[in-house]
Structures are given as C-alpha cells and as structure tokens.
Amino acid sequence: MASWTAEAPGVVERLLKENAPEVRSLARFLRRRNPALVLAAARGRGGLAALYAKHLLEARLLWPVLPLALPLFALYGARPKAPFPSLLAYDLAGEGAGAAELVRAYRGEGLLTLAFVGREESPLAGAAEAVLPLHLGGAEGAGFLAGLAATAQLAAHLLEEPRLREALPALPEAMARALEGEEGLEVGEGLFVLGPGFAYPVALEAALRLKEAGLRAEGVAALEELFPAGLPLLVLVGRDGVLAGLIPALEGLKAKGVPLFVLSPE
C-alpha cells in the first residue's frame, strides 16, 4: 500500500494537467446539453468513484444521477431509458468488458458517453465517445483517488466556479502533506469509518482497504449507523461545512470513551 500511496500525488498532478483541455471542452458541451439525467455505470472500485460523482453532480449541479446495475444488463440486456441523458462510466482497472458493452449500446442510441479509465487501451475506452484517462503510470492502486480527482476536475469546469478550479492544482501537494503524518489509531477489534456527504465514498474505500489488510472495518454515512457502539471511529470530513454540525455528537462519543480520530482540512 505504501508504494501506490506515495505515487498518488504524482498521478493526480499528471491527470489534472493532461486532461485539462479535454475537460474544458466536455464541460462546455455538457453545459449546453444540460442533461435531464446522468447515468452512471461502473465496475469494481469504480462504483465508489461513480458514487462520488452522484453526490457531487446532484448537490452542486442539481443533475440527478442514476447508477446502473451492470449485472442486469449482462443477464437480461436491460437498459433503463430516460429523456436526454448522458452516461458516465468508470473502470479504474481498465478491464471492464461488461461496462464497455453497455456503453457501446447507449452510444448507439445517441447518448454522450464519457469513460474514466485506468488504461487507455481498455475495452471501455474504445467503446466511449469521450475518454478521460487517469494516467496511472503503473500505480493501479491509486485508481480510486485518481477517479475522484478526475471527477472533481470535470465538476469544477461544469460549475464555472473559479475558486474550485484554482484549488485543484494544489491538490497533489495537499495529498503529499497528508502522507507525512505519523499519527495512528488503535483499531483493536475493528473500527467504523464515518464519511458524511461527499466523504462517504472515501469512507467506503478506506474501510475496504482496511478489510484487505485483515482488519474489521465498516464505512458509514451517519453516526446513527454505528453498531455495535464503542468501536473506534475514524472520521473523514471535507471543507464543506459538515464538521461544525458533527462536533457536539463527536464530543459526546469522546466523553463515553470512544476512541476518535478526525481527518479534516478544517
């Protein structure tokens, strides 16, 4: 894990630079089209990146996002229909033949299909009309973070929000600084990873990584989901105003002896 985490800031810096011209063009086109619905198809960890896209596009652009169930297409050929949709597809590993078939079918119906891919020579990249490569350079483990960064870059240009666009170039440096921390959290029998709002997909990914390391971990979106009570709690909160509302509840948990570890830029 240490290898790809160390490479992740460089991956994000590279994709933000290399994808910038294509992202600007795509954003202009999508703003003109203003889709009534955005479909999202993903496999593997790409599903968490697609979930982040759902949170971001629905909260900031007010575009409804419908995640598609790839197995239903594979088994029954089912393709939900909607007026004037666009399709986002994620394949962070670059091997999603099933996703490619779905994308090819929707593209044949005239939908704009945009693929976020870990490998430019993947079946999904060949099927989609537009492609945003993640420029992993062999650091496949960084695919999830790269998928989030690529999604955030597209959203920043869709929103035409200068503050967000100007903040993106600082992201790789912020990631590198985060890797310098040496604090730890005693896990014991297991822990919860809390990610409210935009941080929820990140909490799910963090819990998955911990499980892969042999630990018991669960990602949750709200404090009400903490069961059994008393397990250590890792809290992931962005700079989106959510932390202030959490502080009273977190202080209550701390008073009860629950081990807490909060990661936030605020």
Side-chain angles (χ1 to χ4, degrees):
M1 185 181 295
S3 174
W4 71 258
T5 52
E7 295 173 349
V11 168
V12 170
E13 183 177 21
R14 187 162 56 245
L15 79 84
L16 291 176
K17 179 180 179 181
E18 297 294 332
N19 289 353
E22 180 70 6
V23 166
R24 286 193 292 268
S25 176
L26 280 168
R28 286 194 297 268
F29 179 83
L30 284 168
R31 284 198 303 271
R32 290 196 301 269
R33 174 171 288 200
N34 193 26
L37 179 68
V38 177
L39 305 177
R43 63 183 300 276
R45 280 191 159 89
L48 298 181
L51 180 61
Y52 176 71
K54 176 178 174 65
H55 281 65
L56 198 55
L57 296 181
E58 288 188 347
R60 293 292 185 251
L61 284 160
L62 307 182
W63 289 359
V65 179
L66 173 66
L68 298 174
L70 279 181
L72 294 183
F73 174 74
L75 291 172
Y76 310 116
R79 297 200 307 274
K81 297 184 181 298
F84 311 114
S86 295
L87 173 66
L88 303 182
Y90 290 81
D91 182 15
L92 309 184
E95 300 174 353
E101 293 172 6
L102 178 65
V103 167
R104 192 174 292 110
Y106 271 120
R107 183 179 178 183
E109 296 177 3
L111 273 69
L112 170 67
T113 52
L114 169 59
F116 297 80
V117 296
R119 291 194 301 109
E120 292 185 66
E121 67 277 16
S122 70
L124 180 58
E129 180 179 355
V131 176
L132 290 179
L134 301 183
H135 300 283
L136 299 179
E140 283 78 9
F144 170 74
L145 295 175
L148 265 58
T151 302
Q153 183 183 31
L154 177 61
H157 286 275
L158 285 169
L159 285 164
E160 296 185 281
E161 187 174 298
R163 185 171 62 89
L164 181 54
R165 289 204 304 265
E166 291 165 4
L168 281 172
L171 180 57
E173 182 181 350
M175 294 171 65
R177 286 199 307 270
L179 292 173
E180 296 172 357
E182 297 183 353
E183 296 181 72
L185 176 67
E186 291 294 332
V187 174
E189 296 181 2
L191 81 162
F192 288 106
V193 185
L194 173 65
F198 298 136
Y200 181 47
V202 184
L204 293 175
E205 169 71 5
L208 182 57
R209 292 286 182 180
L210 291 169
K211 288 177 182 177
E212 291 173 347
L215 302 174
R216 176 188 172 194
E218 294 296 335
V220 297
L223 289 170
E224 291 78 10
E225 298 177 48
L226 302 184
F227 182 84
L231 289 178
L233 178 62
L234 170 61
V235 184
L236 309 177
V237 189
R239 191 182 283 113
D240 54 3
V242 171
L243 182 59
L246 281 177
I247 287 177
L250 294 177
E251 289 177 340
L253 290 174
K254 186 176 181 180
K256 295 177 181 178
V258 176
L260 289 176
F261 191 76
V262 180
L263 292 178
S264 174
E266 294 187 343

mmCIF file of all heavy atoms in Angstrom, residues 151-201:
data_model
loop_
_atom_site.group_PDB
_atom_site.id
_atom_site.type_symbol
_atom_site.label_atom_id
_atom_site.label_comp_id
_atom_site.label_asym_id
_atom_site.label_seq_id
_atom_site.Cartn_x
_atom_site.Cartn_y
_atom_site.Cartn_z
ATOM 1 N N THR A 151 -13.095 13.353 -11.584
ATOM 2 C CA THR A 151 -14.499 13.753 -11.460
ATOM 3 C C THR A 151 -14.609 15.174 -10.926
ATOM 4 O O THR A 151 -15.408 15.979 -11.415
ATOM 5 C CB THR A 151 -15.237 12.783 -10.521
ATOM 6 O OG1 THR A 151 -15.129 11.452 -11.033
ATOM 7 C CG2 THR A 151 -16.701 13.149 -10.407
ATOM 8 N N ALA A 152 -13.799 15.493 -9.917
ATOM 9 C CA ALA A 152 -13.823 16.836 -9.341
ATOM 10 C C ALA A 152 -13.378 17.877 -10.363
ATOM 11 O O ALA A 152 -13.926 18.992 -10.414
ATOM 12 C CB ALA A 152 -12.929 16.891 -8.113
ATOM 13 N N GLN A 153 -12.400 17.528 -11.198
ATOM 14 C CA GLN A 153 -11.943 18.457 -12.232
ATOM 15 C C GLN A 153 -13.059 18.762 -13.226
ATOM 16 O O GLN A 153 -13.283 19.922 -13.586
ATOM 17 C CB GLN A 153 -10.729 17.875 -12.956
ATOM 18 C CG GLN A 153 -10.130 18.816 -14.002
ATOM 19 C CD GLN A 153 -8.982 18.175 -14.755
ATOM 20 O OE1 GLN A 153 -8.954 16.956 -14.950
ATOM 21 N NE2 GLN A 153 -8.025 18.984 -15.176
ATOM 22 N N LEU A 154 -13.775 17.725 -13.656
ATOM 23 C CA LEU A 154 -14.890 17.937 -14.574
ATOM 24 C C LEU A 154 -15.978 18.779 -13.910
ATOM 25 O O LEU A 154 -16.515 19.714 -14.522
ATOM 26 C CB LEU A 154 -15.463 16.588 -15.023
ATOM 27 C CG LEU A 154 -16.683 16.649 -15.944
ATOM 28 C CD1 LEU A 154 -16.350 17.381 -17.242
ATOM 29 C CD2 LEU A 154 -17.207 15.240 -16.233
ATOM 30 N N ALA A 155 -16.305 18.472 -12.658
ATOM 31 C CA ALA A 155 -17.348 19.221 -11.952
ATOM 32 C C ALA A 155 -16.962 20.687 -11.788
ATOM 33 O O ALA A 155 -17.810 21.577 -11.907
ATOM 34 C CB ALA A 155 -17.613 18.586 -10.587
ATOM 35 N N ALA A 156 -15.681 20.952 -11.530
ATOM 36 C CA ALA A 156 -15.232 22.336 -11.353
ATOM 37 C C ALA A 156 -15.463 23.155 -12.614
ATOM 38 O O ALA A 156 -15.865 24.322 -12.556
ATOM 39 C CB ALA A 156 -13.752 22.351 -10.971
ATOM 40 N N HIS A 157 -15.232 22.548 -13.777
ATOM 41 C CA HIS A 157 -15.450 23.272 -15.035
ATOM 42 C C HIS A 157 -16.930 23.333 -15.399
ATOM 43 O O HIS A 157 -17.370 24.305 -16.019
ATOM 44 C CB HIS A 157 -14.631 22.615 -16.138
ATOM 45 C CG HIS A 157 -13.166 22.909 -16.042
ATOM 46 N ND1 HIS A 157 -12.595 24.041 -16.571
ATOM 47 C CD2 HIS A 157 -12.156 22.235 -15.446
ATOM 48 C CE1 HIS A 157 -11.300 24.048 -16.325
ATOM 49 N NE2 HIS A 157 -11.011 22.961 -15.650
ATOM 50 N N LEU A 158 -17.693 22.334 -15.022
ATOM 51 C CA LEU A 158 -19.136 22.392 -15.252
ATOM 52 C C LEU A 158 -19.778 23.512 -14.442
ATOM 53 O O LEU A 158 -20.683 24.196 -14.902
ATOM 54 C CB LEU A 158 -19.781 21.053 -14.883
ATOM 55 C CG LEU A 158 -19.576 19.894 -15.856
ATOM 56 C CD1 LEU A 158 -20.037 18.584 -15.221
ATOM 57 C CD2 LEU A 158 -20.336 20.140 -17.158
ATOM 58 N N LEU A 159 -19.287 23.698 -13.224
ATOM 59 C CA LEU A 159 -19.841 24.710 -12.334
ATOM 60 C C LEU A 159 -19.394 26.115 -12.707
ATOM 61 O O LEU A 159 -19.988 27.096 -12.258
ATOM 62 C CB LEU A 159 -19.423 24.420 -10.886
ATOM 63 C CG LEU A 159 -20.136 23.273 -10.177
ATOM 64 C CD1 LEU A 159 -19.366 22.854 -8.944
ATOM 65 C CD2 LEU A 159 -21.552 23.710 -9.798
ATOM 66 N N GLU A 160 -18.324 26.213 -13.498
ATOM 67 C CA GLU A 160 -17.724 27.519 -13.806
ATOM 68 C C GLU A 160 -17.425 28.276 -12.510
ATOM 69 O O GLU A 160 -17.715 29.471 -12.385
ATOM 70 C CB GLU A 160 -18.649 28.340 -14.702
ATOM 71 C CG GLU A 160 -18.890 27.727 -16.070
ATOM 72 C CD GLU A 160 -19.707 28.603 -16.992
ATOM 73 O OE1 GLU A 160 -20.943 28.625 -16.818
ATOM 74 O OE2 GLU A 160 -19.126 29.256 -17.863
ATOM 75 N N GLU A 161 -16.853 27.543 -11.571
ATOM 76 C CA GLU A 161 -16.559 28.108 -10.254
ATOM 77 C C GLU A 161 -15.050 28.347 -10.145
ATOM 78 O O GLU A 161 -14.281 27.408 -9.928
ATOM 79 C CB GLU A 161 -17.027 27.139 -9.167
ATOM 80 C CG GLU A 161 -16.924 27.708 -7.763
ATOM 81 C CD GLU A 161 -17.530 26.764 -6.731
ATOM 82 O OE1 GLU A 161 -18.733 26.492 -6.811
ATOM 83 O OE2 GLU A 161 -16.771 26.304 -5.858
ATOM 84 N N PRO A 162 -14.599 29.594 -10.294
ATOM 85 C CA PRO A 162 -13.159 29.871 -10.290
ATOM 86 C C PRO A 162 -12.451 29.372 -9.029
ATOM 87 O O PRO A 162 -11.326 28.873 -9.102
ATOM 88 C CB PRO A 162 -13.095 31.402 -10.401
ATOM 89 C CG PRO A 162 -14.394 31.792 -11.037
ATOM 90 C CD PRO A 162 -15.396 30.811 -10.522
ATOM 91 N N ARG A 163 -13.104 29.504 -7.872
ATOM 92 C CA ARG A 163 -12.447 29.117 -6.624
ATOM 93 C C ARG A 163 -12.087 27.639 -6.620
ATOM 94 O O ARG A 163 -10.993 27.255 -6.213
ATOM 95 C CB ARG A 163 -13.368 29.434 -5.437
ATOM 96 C CG ARG A 163 -12.735 29.184 -4.073
ATOM 97 C CD ARG A 163 -13.645 29.725 -2.988
ATOM 98 N NE ARG A 163 -14.926 29.049 -3.004
ATOM 99 C CZ ARG A 163 -15.186 27.929 -2.326
ATOM 100 N NH1 ARG A 163 -14.235 27.355 -1.611
ATOM 101 N NH2 ARG A 163 -16.379 27.385 -2.364
ATOM 102 N N LEU A 164 -13.003 26.800 -7.105
ATOM 103 C CA LEU A 164 -12.740 25.365 -7.140
ATOM 104 C C LEU A 164 -11.685 25.029 -8.189
ATOM 105 O O LEU A 164 -10.791 24.219 -7.954
ATOM 106 C CB LEU A 164 -14.041 24.605 -7.429
ATOM 107 C CG LEU A 164 -13.954 23.081 -7.466
ATOM 108 C CD1 LEU A 164 -13.326 22.538 -6.194
ATOM 109 C CD2 LEU A 164 -15.331 22.478 -7.677
ATOM 110 N N ARG A 165 -11.776 25.656 -9.362
ATOM 111 C CA ARG A 165 -10.782 25.391 -10.410
ATOM 112 C C ARG A 165 -9.385 25.802 -9.958
ATOM 113 O O ARG A 165 -8.397 25.129 -10.247
ATOM 114 C CB ARG A 165 -11.159 26.127 -11.700
ATOM 115 C CG ARG A 165 -12.364 25.546 -12.416
ATOM 116 C CD ARG A 165 -12.347 25.895 -13.892
ATOM 117 N NE ARG A 165 -12.280 27.332 -14.109
ATOM 118 C CZ ARG A 165 -13.339 28.106 -14.314
ATOM 119 N NH1 ARG A 165 -14.547 27.570 -14.301
ATOM 120 N NH2 ARG A 165 -13.209 29.385 -14.530
ATOM 121 N N GLU A 166 -9.305 26.916 -9.251
ATOM 122 C CA GLU A 166 -7.999 27.393 -8.794
ATOM 123 C C GLU A 166 -7.442 26.526 -7.672
ATOM 124 O O GLU A 166 -6.223 26.467 -7.472
ATOM 125 C CB GLU A 166 -8.126 28.847 -8.317
ATOM 126 C CG GLU A 166 -8.405 29.833 -9.453
ATOM 127 C CD GLU A 166 -8.871 31.186 -8.957
ATOM 128 O OE1 GLU A 166 -8.910 31.379 -7.717
ATOM 129 O OE2 GLU A 166 -9.224 32.042 -9.798
ATOM 130 N N ALA A 167 -8.320 25.839 -6.935
ATOM 131 C CA ALA A 167 -7.865 24.988 -5.834
ATOM 132 C C ALA A 167 -7.316 23.649 -6.322
ATOM 133 O O ALA A 167 -6.491 23.025 -5.649
ATOM 134 C CB ALA A 167 -9.001 24.755 -4.842
ATOM 135 N N LEU A 168 -7.758 23.191 -7.484
ATOM 136 C CA LEU A 168 -7.369 21.868 -7.967
ATOM 137 C C LEU A 168 -5.858 21.681 -8.106
ATOM 138 O O LEU A 168 -5.328 20.638 -7.716
ATOM 139 C CB LEU A 168 -8.064 21.564 -9.292
ATOM 140 C CG LEU A 168 -9.526 21.120 -9.193
ATOM 141 C CD1 LEU A 168 -10.145 21.035 -10.589
ATOM 142 C CD2 LEU A 168 -9.641 19.773 -8.488
ATOM 143 N N PRO A 169 -5.114 22.648 -8.661
ATOM 144 C CA PRO A 169 -3.665 22.434 -8.794
ATOM 145 C C PRO A 169 -2.950 22.221 -7.466
ATOM 146 O O PRO A 169 -1.855 21.644 -7.430
ATOM 147 C CB PRO A 169 -3.183 23.722 -9.482
ATOM 148 C CG PRO A 169 -4.380 24.242 -10.210
ATOM 149 C CD PRO A 169 -5.544 23.898 -9.325
ATOM 150 N N ALA A 170 -3.558 22.675 -6.362
ATOM 151 C CA ALA A 170 -2.944 22.496 -5.049
ATOM 152 C C ALA A 170 -3.225 21.123 -4.457
ATOM 153 O O ALA A 170 -2.657 20.766 -3.420
ATOM 154 C CB ALA A 170 -3.440 23.581 -4.088
ATOM 155 N N LEU A 171 -4.090 20.340 -5.115
ATOM 156 C CA LEU A 171 -4.482 19.040 -4.577
ATOM 157 C C LEU A 171 -3.313 18.073 -4.427
ATOM 158 O O LEU A 171 -3.174 17.440 -3.369
ATOM 159 C CB LEU A 171 -5.582 18.438 -5.452
ATOM 160 C CG LEU A 171 -6.132 17.075 -5.041
ATOM 161 C CD1 LEU A 171 -6.673 17.112 -3.627
ATOM 162 C CD2 LEU A 171 -7.222 16.626 -6.028
ATOM 163 N N PRO A 172 -2.430 17.909 -5.432
ATOM 164 C CA PRO A 172 -1.313 16.959 -5.256
ATOM 165 C C PRO A 172 -0.426 17.297 -4.065
ATOM 166 O O PRO A 172 -0.014 16.401 -3.314
ATOM 167 C CB PRO A 172 -0.554 17.076 -6.584
ATOM 168 C CG PRO A 172 -1.573 17.539 -7.574
ATOM 169 C CD PRO A 172 -2.464 18.461 -6.801
ATOM 170 N N GLU A 173 -0.142 18.580 -3.868
ATOM 171 C CA GLU A 173 0.697 18.976 -2.735
ATOM 172 C C GLU A 173 -0.003 18.680 -1.413
ATOM 173 O O GLU A 173 0.626 18.221 -0.449
ATOM 174 C CB GLU A 173 1.043 20.457 -2.828
ATOM 175 C CG GLU A 173 1.965 20.933 -1.703
ATOM 176 C CD GLU A 173 2.289 22.414 -1.790
ATOM 177 O OE1 GLU A 173 1.962 23.045 -2.823
ATOM 178 O OE2 GLU A 173 2.845 22.947 -0.820
ATOM 179 N N ALA A 174 -1.316 18.917 -1.364
ATOM 180 C CA ALA A 174 -2.070 18.623 -0.140
ATOM 181 C C ALA A 174 -2.050 17.130 0.152
ATOM 182 O O ALA A 174 -1.940 16.705 1.314
ATOM 183 C CB ALA A 174 -3.506 19.122 -0.289
ATOM 184 N N MET A 175 -2.147 16.309 -0.897
ATOM 185 C CA MET A 175 -2.081 14.855 -0.717
ATOM 186 C C MET A 175 -0.718 14.438 -0.183
ATOM 187 O O MET A 175 -0.615 13.586 0.707
ATOM 188 C CB MET A 175 -2.376 14.154 -2.042
ATOM 189 C CG MET A 175 -3.794 14.339 -2.542
ATOM 190 S SD MET A 175 -4.031 13.719 -4.228
ATOM 191 C CE MET A 175 -3.757 11.955 -3.995
ATOM 192 N N ALA A 176 0.336 15.046 -0.716
ATOM 193 C CA ALA A 176 1.689 14.712 -0.263
ATOM 194 C C ALA A 176 1.876 15.088 1.205
ATOM 195 O O ALA A 176 2.492 14.335 1.975
ATOM 196 C CB ALA A 176 2.714 15.421 -1.139
ATOM 197 N N ARG A 177 1.330 16.233 1.610
ATOM 198 C CA ARG A 177 1.443 16.638 3.023
ATOM 199 C C ARG A 177 0.701 15.661 3.927
ATOM 200 O O ARG A 177 1.160 15.346 5.029
ATOM 201 C CB ARG A 177 0.893 18.048 3.215
ATOM 202 C CG ARG A 177 1.775 19.146 2.679
ATOM 203 C CD ARG A 177 1.401 20.494 3.302
ATOM 204 N NE ARG A 177 -0.014 20.787 3.162
ATOM 205 C CZ ARG A 177 -0.541 21.447 2.128
ATOM 206 N NH1 ARG A 177 0.241 21.853 1.136
ATOM 207 N NH2 ARG A 177 -1.837 21.687 2.064
ATOM 208 N N ALA A 178 -0.461 15.190 3.454
ATOM 209 C CA ALA A 178 -1.243 14.250 4.268
ATOM 210 C C ALA A 178 -0.474 12.962 4.514
ATOM 211 O O ALA A 178 -0.638 12.322 5.563
ATOM 212 C CB ALA A 178 -2.570 13.956 3.579
ATOM 213 N N LEU A 179 0.373 12.565 3.574
ATOM 214 C CA LEU A 179 1.132 11.326 3.728
ATOM 215 C C LEU A 179 2.262 11.454 4.739
ATOM 216 O O LEU A 179 2.832 10.449 5.167
ATOM 217 C CB LEU A 179 1.724 10.905 2.375
ATOM 218 C CG LEU A 179 0.713 10.459 1.317
ATOM 219 C CD1 LEU A 179 1.406 10.240 -0.017
ATOM 220 C CD2 LEU A 179 0.007 9.185 1.758
ATOM 221 N N GLU A 180 2.582 12.698 5.135
ATOM 222 C CA GLU A 180 3.684 12.903 6.068
ATOM 223 C C GLU A 180 3.278 12.639 7.513
ATOM 224 O O GLU A 180 4.121 12.493 8.382
ATOM 225 C CB GLU A 180 4.201 14.335 5.937
ATOM 226 C CG GLU A 180 4.812 14.635 4.567
ATOM 227 C CD GLU A 180 5.140 16.096 4.390
ATOM 228 O OE1 GLU A 180 4.843 16.890 5.328
ATOM 229 O OE2 GLU A 180 5.671 16.467 3.322
ATOM 230 N N GLY A 181 1.982 12.565 7.798
ATOM 231 C CA GLY A 181 1.525 12.345 9.170
ATOM 232 C C GLY A 181 1.877 10.963 9.672
ATOM 233 O O GLY A 181 1.891 9.986 8.926
ATOM 234 N N GLU A 182 2.176 10.871 10.953
ATOM 235 C CA GLU A 182 2.564 9.590 11.549
ATOM 236 C C GLU A 182 1.653 9.182 12.694
ATOM 237 O O GLU A 182 1.915 8.220 13.394
ATOM 238 C CB GLU A 182 4.006 9.665 12.054
ATOM 239 C CG GLU A 182 5.022 9.898 10.932
ATOM 240 C CD GLU A 182 6.445 9.909 11.441
ATOM 241 O OE1 GLU A 182 6.612 9.863 12.684
ATOM 242 O OE2 GLU A 182 7.374 9.968 10.626
ATOM 243 N N GLU A 183 0.573 9.941 12.923
ATOM 244 C CA GLU A 183 -0.347 9.585 13.999
ATOM 245 C C GLU A 183 -1.103 8.316 13.623
ATOM 246 O O GLU A 183 -1.346 8.025 12.457
ATOM 247 C CB GLU A 183 -1.331 10.720 14.252
ATOM 248 C CG GLU A 183 -0.677 11.998 14.760
ATOM 249 C CD GLU A 183 -1.698 13.069 15.023
ATOM 250 O OE1 GLU A 183 -2.435 12.922 16.022
ATOM 251 O OE2 GLU A 183 -1.775 14.021 14.243
ATOM 252 N N GLY A 184 -1.487 7.559 14.652
ATOM 253 C CA GLY A 184 -2.206 6.322 14.401
ATOM 254 C C GLY A 184 -3.408 6.185 15.304
ATOM 255 O O GLY A 184 -3.567 6.898 16.285
ATOM 256 N N LEU A 185 -4.266 5.242 14.966
ATOM 257 C CA LEU A 185 -5.468 4.963 15.739
ATOM 258 C C LEU A 185 -5.465 3.492 16.097
ATOM 259 O O LEU A 185 -5.324 2.634 15.229
ATOM 260 C CB LEU A 185 -6.717 5.302 14.915
ATOM 261 C CG LEU A 185 -8.074 4.982 15.546
ATOM 262 C CD1 LEU A 185 -8.302 5.874 16.751
ATOM 263 C CD2 LEU A 185 -9.190 5.173 14.532
ATOM 264 N N GLU A 186 -5.589 3.188 17.390
ATOM 265 C CA GLU A 186 -5.651 1.797 17.830
ATOM 266 C C GLU A 186 -6.969 1.181 17.374
ATOM 267 O O GLU A 186 -8.046 1.648 17.744
ATOM 268 C CB GLU A 186 -5.525 1.726 19.359
ATOM 269 C CG GLU A 186 -4.143 2.105 19.895
ATOM 270 C CD GLU A 186 -3.079 1.104 19.479
ATOM 271 O OE1 GLU A 186 -3.425 -0.080 19.278
ATOM 272 O OE2 GLU A 186 -1.908 1.495 19.343
ATOM 273 N N VAL A 187 -6.883 0.159 16.561
ATOM 274 C CA VAL A 187 -8.081 -0.430 15.976
ATOM 275 C C VAL A 187 -8.713 -1.472 16.882
ATOM 276 O O VAL A 187 -9.928 -1.536 17.048
ATOM 277 C CB VAL A 187 -7.749 -1.047 14.595
ATOM 278 C CG1 VAL A 187 -8.957 -1.778 14.046
ATOM 279 C CG2 VAL A 187 -7.285 0.039 13.639
ATOM 280 N N GLY A 188 -7.909 -2.318 17.502
ATOM 281 C CA GLY A 188 -8.451 -3.354 18.360
ATOM 282 C C GLY A 188 -9.304 -4.338 17.583
ATOM 283 O O GLY A 188 -8.870 -4.932 16.601
ATOM 284 N N GLU A 189 -10.568 -4.511 17.992
ATOM 285 C CA GLU A 189 -11.473 -5.470 17.349
ATOM 286 C C GLU A 189 -12.002 -4.978 16.010
ATOM 287 O O GLU A 189 -12.585 -5.748 15.253
ATOM 288 C CB GLU A 189 -12.645 -5.766 18.287
ATOM 289 C CG GLU A 189 -12.235 -6.448 19.579
ATOM 290 C CD GLU A 189 -13.431 -6.746 20.452
ATOM 291 O OE1 GLU A 189 -14.565 -6.455 20.021
ATOM 292 O OE2 GLU A 189 -13.250 -7.282 21.550
ATOM 293 N N GLY A 190 -11.833 -3.726 15.716
ATOM 294 C CA GLY A 190 -12.337 -3.167 14.467
ATOM 295 C C GLY A 190 -12.644 -1.697 14.638
ATOM 296 O O GLY A 190 -12.414 -1.118 15.707
ATOM 297 N N LEU A 191 -13.144 -1.077 13.585
ATOM 298 C CA LEU A 191 -13.487 0.336 13.669
ATOM 299 C C LEU A 191 -14.517 0.701 12.619
ATOM 300 O O LEU A 191 -14.745 -0.037 11.651
ATOM 301 C CB LEU A 191 -12.251 1.220 13.498
ATOM 302 C CG LEU A 191 -11.752 1.500 12.070
ATOM 303 C CD1 LEU A 191 -10.834 2.709 12.073
ATOM 304 C CD2 LEU A 191 -11.039 0.296 11.491
ATOM 305 N N PHE A 192 -15.133 1.873 12.823
ATOM 306 C CA PHE A 192 -16.022 2.463 11.842
ATOM 307 C C PHE A 192 -15.285 3.607 11.153
ATOM 308 O O PHE A 192 -14.468 4.297 11.770
ATOM 309 C CB PHE A 192 -17.286 3.020 12.503
ATOM 310 C CG PHE A 192 -18.239 1.968 12.987
ATOM 311 C CD1 PHE A 192 -18.371 1.698 14.339
ATOM 312 C CD2 PHE A 192 -19.017 1.258 12.085
ATOM 313 C CE1 PHE A 192 -19.253 0.730 14.791
ATOM 314 C CE2 PHE A 192 -19.910 0.286 12.521
ATOM 315 C CZ PHE A 192 -20.021 0.018 13.878
ATOM 316 N N VAL A 193 -15.587 3.807 9.893
ATOM 317 C CA VAL A 193 -15.072 4.957 9.153
ATOM 318 C C VAL A 193 -16.268 5.789 8.746
ATOM 319 O O VAL A 193 -17.103 5.358 7.941
ATOM 320 C CB VAL A 193 -14.266 4.532 7.906
ATOM 321 C CG1 VAL A 193 -13.644 5.764 7.251
ATOM 322 C CG2 VAL A 193 -13.190 3.522 8.270
ATOM 323 N N LEU A 194 -16.392 6.980 9.315
ATOM 324 C CA LEU A 194 -17.527 7.859 9.066
ATOM 325 C C LEU A 194 -17.171 8.868 7.977
ATOM 326 O O LEU A 194 -16.165 9.568 8.083
ATOM 327 C CB LEU A 194 -17.924 8.596 10.346
ATOM 328 C CG LEU A 194 -18.992 9.691 10.205
ATOM 329 C CD1 LEU A 194 -20.329 9.102 9.793
ATOM 330 C CD2 LEU A 194 -19.132 10.484 11.510
ATOM 331 N N GLY A 195 -17.996 8.928 6.937
ATOM 332 C CA GLY A 195 -17.788 9.897 5.868
ATOM 333 C C GLY A 195 -19.102 10.544 5.480
ATOM 334 O O GLY A 195 -19.770 10.076 4.552
ATOM 335 N N PRO A 196 -19.492 11.613 6.140
ATOM 336 C CA PRO A 196 -20.759 12.266 5.783
ATOM 337 C C PRO A 196 -20.642 13.021 4.466
ATOM 338 O O PRO A 196 -19.584 13.528 4.102
ATOM 339 C CB PRO A 196 -20.987 13.236 6.954
ATOM 340 C CG PRO A 196 -19.618 13.523 7.478
ATOM 341 C CD PRO A 196 -18.812 12.280 7.252
ATOM 342 N N GLY A 197 -21.732 13.085 3.711
ATOM 343 C CA GLY A 197 -21.754 13.876 2.491
ATOM 344 C C GLY A 197 -20.781 13.381 1.436
ATOM 345 O O GLY A 197 -20.707 12.193 1.122
ATOM 346 N N PHE A 198 -20.000 14.317 0.881
ATOM 347 C CA PHE A 198 -19.067 13.978 -0.187
ATOM 348 C C PHE A 198 -18.011 12.972 0.262
ATOM 349 O O PHE A 198 -17.387 12.313 -0.575
ATOM 350 C CB PHE A 198 -18.366 15.238 -0.698
ATOM 351 C CG PHE A 198 -19.293 16.253 -1.303
ATOM 352 C CD1 PHE A 198 -19.164 17.600 -1.005
ATOM 353 C CD2 PHE A 198 -20.293 15.868 -2.174
ATOM 354 C CE1 PHE A 198 -20.007 18.541 -1.567
ATOM 355 C CE2 PHE A 198 -21.152 16.791 -2.737
ATOM 356 C CZ PHE A 198 -21.012 18.143 -2.431
ATOM 357 N N ALA A 199 -17.777 12.861 1.559
ATOM 358 C CA ALA A 199 -16.736 11.965 2.061
ATOM 359 C C ALA A 199 -17.196 10.510 2.169
ATOM 360 O O ALA A 199 -16.374 9.631 2.455
ATOM 361 C CB ALA A 199 -16.243 12.442 3.434
ATOM 362 N N TYR A 200 -18.472 10.242 1.928
ATOM 363 C CA TYR A 200 -18.964 8.874 2.102
ATOM 364 C C TYR A 200 -18.267 7.860 1.190
ATOM 365 O O TYR A 200 -17.842 6.796 1.669
ATOM 366 C CB TYR A 200 -20.480 8.838 1.903
ATOM 367 C CG TYR A 200 -21.097 7.475 2.081
ATOM 368 C CD1 TYR A 200 -20.766 6.683 3.189
ATOM 369 C CD2 TYR A 200 -22.000 6.971 1.154
ATOM 370 C CE1 TYR A 200 -21.333 5.426 3.352
ATOM 371 C CE2 TYR A 200 -22.573 5.726 1.316
ATOM 372 C CZ TYR A 200 -22.231 4.950 2.410
ATOM 373 O OH TYR A 200 -22.786 3.691 2.561
ATOM 374 N N PRO A 201 -18.109 8.122 -0.107
ATOM 375 C CA PRO A 201 -17.382 7.153 -0.935
ATOM 376 C C PRO A 201 -15.950 6.923 -0.452
ATOM 377 O O PRO A 201 -15.422 5.818 -0.565
ATOM 378 C CB PRO A 201 -17.405 7.786 -2.336
ATOM 379 C CG PRO A 201 -18.568 8.718 -2.316
ATOM 380 C CD PRO A 201 -18.626 9.242 -0.922
#
